[in-house]
Amino acid sequence: MPDSELAVHNLKHHFADLEQQKATSTFGMWIFLVTEIMFFGGAFATYLIYRLSYYNAWVAGSQTMEIELGAVNTVVLICSSLTMVMSVHFAKLGNRKLTAIFLLLTLLLGFGFLGIKAVEYHGHWVHHEVPGPNFHFEHQGNYDPRQVMIFFSLYFAMTGMHALHMVIGAGLLTWLLIANARGRFTPEYNSPVEMVGLYWHFVDLVWIYLFPLLYLISHHHNG
Amino acid sequence: MAGHAHPTVKTFVAVWAALLVLTALTVGVATLNLGPFNPIVALAIATTKALLVLLFFMELRYSTALTKISVVAAVFFLMLLVGLTLSDYLTRGWSSYINPFR
């Protein structure tokens, strides 16, 4: 199929040309991400208020986090952002093979992150740190252990929502891999790769704030 | 979009390296007790990392004015959300109103 025909094939009828179509999808994706910023922003604000209210319990809860695992996961996610950006780069150049390789690497790093997160969750489960009837926290400070349960509730809610976004991202990457193998993307039309890229980087962005707030800032404080 | 500025692979690798260095830095700072400055330093480093991701990986630097304004607006409203909520919570003890329910 000649390029001009392919371009027409990829152009939805309600757009004037491919450039307008791409500008629209980029803007639409950013508006979606803005709603995601407000969604996670509300959770971060909640976390902040509770930290100020239940500071001692927050320090105790935060110090149960395994910084090594959190740091390794941060590195894994940053690497996956690099491989994502490379797959977008090669999709724009029309290099199907390298697009596929970098999409696959991104997917594998995503699974790596989820695997390490699962190890952490298992540790919390074994140590009775999951909120609920089995919750038990040996406390030595001046605070109510139930406040630590609130810390863990927010920890699981925030990292859980983040992990859910990663799972959705893994699904999107799989879809891109199939579409790329079918030759759906060209140097003129590659918006899906770019849009999933924006989503993937956003998920990285959330973790960039989750990691210091949950693991790091109270590490050497005295509750 | 021919003639449109785009970051190169070299830029991406440089940003990636900077993100790793900043991660090491924020983990390193966490081993010190800086009191109230721990969250401030950690959030400053996180925001630097976020800016790198936004500007280069998400190509905001090369985006249209409309996209840039949307993101700046989101950050502004997020600051309102956090700022006004905190100004409420942190000043509740200052209230001199007589509480009729006490």
Side-chain angles (χ1 to χ4, degrees):
Chain A
M1 199 163 21
D3 277 2
S4 57
E5 260 182 66
L6 231 151
V8 171
H9 174 70
N10 285 317
L11 182 67
K12 299 280 187 290
H13 68 88
H14 45 277
F15 292 111
D17 52 35
L18 278 174
E19 195 166 330
Q20 188 202 23
Q21 176 171 284
K22 184 178 181 284
T24 309
S25 51
T26 306
F27 182 58
M29 190 65 199
W30 273 105
I31 292 300
F32 166 66
L33 292 181
V34 164
T35 69
E36 290 268 80
I37 290 172
M38 299 321 283
F39 170 71
F40 278 101
F44 279 112
T46 310
Y47 181 87
L48 200 57
I49 290 158
Y50 272 118
R51 185 174 189 270
L52 292 166
S53 311
Y54 301 149
Y55 175 72
N56 292 342
W58 238 242
V59 169
S62 181
Q63 287 177 354
T64 64
M65 297 293 141
E66 297 210 36
I67 287 189
E68 294 80 9
L69 291 179
V72 168
N73 249 354
T74 307
V75 171
V76 169
L77 217 49
I78 288 171
C79 290
S80 84
S81 261
L82 177 69
T83 56
M84 186 70 233
V85 103
M86 294 302 280
S87 71
V88 173
H89 177 76
F90 285 113
K92 281 178 185 168
L93 292 177
N95 188 330
R96 266 167 72 182
K97 197 179 160 197
L98 282 175
T99 304
I101 287 171
F102 280 109
L103 283 175
L104 195 63
L105 280 173
T106 311
L107 185 62
L108 290 177
L109 287 165
F111 281 131
F113 178 94
L114 288 171
I116 293 169
K117 201 72 225 156
V119 170
E120 285 187 81
Y121 276 7
H122 180 255
H124 294 309
W125 173 261
V126 172
H127 294 114
H128 299 280
E129 289 160 355
V130 178
N134 289 322
F135 184 84
H136 181 76
F137 195 79
E138 287 294 340
H139 77 296
Q140 299 134 357
N142 181 25
Y143 57 86
D144 187 327
R146 287 176 300 179
Q147 294 170 354
V148 183
M149 191 150 85
I150 299 177
F151 170 85
F152 276 105
S153 300
L154 276 168
Y155 163 81
F156 280 109
M158 292 168 89
T159 58
M161 278 314 299
H162 179 263
L164 178 64
H165 278 76
M166 297 279 301
V167 171
I168 293 167
L172 292 171
L173 286 170
T174 310
W175 167 63
L176 284 184
L177 271 166
I178 295 167
N180 181 60
R182 287 181 177 163
R184 281 289 290 121
F185 307 127
T186 62
E188 292 77 32
Y189 176 77
N190 45 60
S191 292
V193 188
E194 215 175 317
M195 296 312 111
V196 173
L198 285 178
Y199 175 86
W200 194 262
H201 297 311
F202 170 78
V203 177
D204 187 11
L205 219 55
V206 173
W207 185 259
I208 282 175
Y209 282 97
L210 281 178
F211 175 54
L213 288 177
L214 293 169
Y215 293 71
L216 298 179
I217 56 174
S218 309
H219 189 54
H220 273 272
H221 285 204
N222 313 306
Chain B
M1 278 188 270
H4 199 78
H6 270 297
T8 59
V9 172
K10 222 167 130 185
T11 315
F12 295 141
V13 174
V15 168
W16 170 76
L19 289 171
L20 291 183
V21 169
L22 287 167
T23 302
L25 185 68
T26 193
V27 172
V29 170
T31 60
L32 309 168
N33 186 355
L34 303 175
F37 288 100
N38 275 112
I40 292 168
V41 173
L43 285 175
I45 295 173
T47 302
T48 310
K49 289 169 77 181
L51 276 174
L52 284 173
V53 172
L54 280 165
L55 290 175
F56 297 101
F57 282 179
M58 299 173 91
E59 301 194 1
L60 202 57
R61 202 175 158 219
Y62 315 91
S63 297
T64 58
L66 185 64
T67 306
K68 284 177 187 158
I69 291 167
S70 315
V71 178
V72 170
V75 174
F76 172 73
F77 283 108
L78 185 63
M79 291 295 116
L80 271 190
L81 170 77
V82 175
L84 290 180
T85 309
L86 281 183
S87 72
D88 170 13
Y89 274 88
L90 293 177
T91 57
R92 285 192 180 187
W94 300 3
S95 174
S96 58
Y97 288 114
I98 298 156
N99 186 346
F101 302 106
R102 228 179 229 169

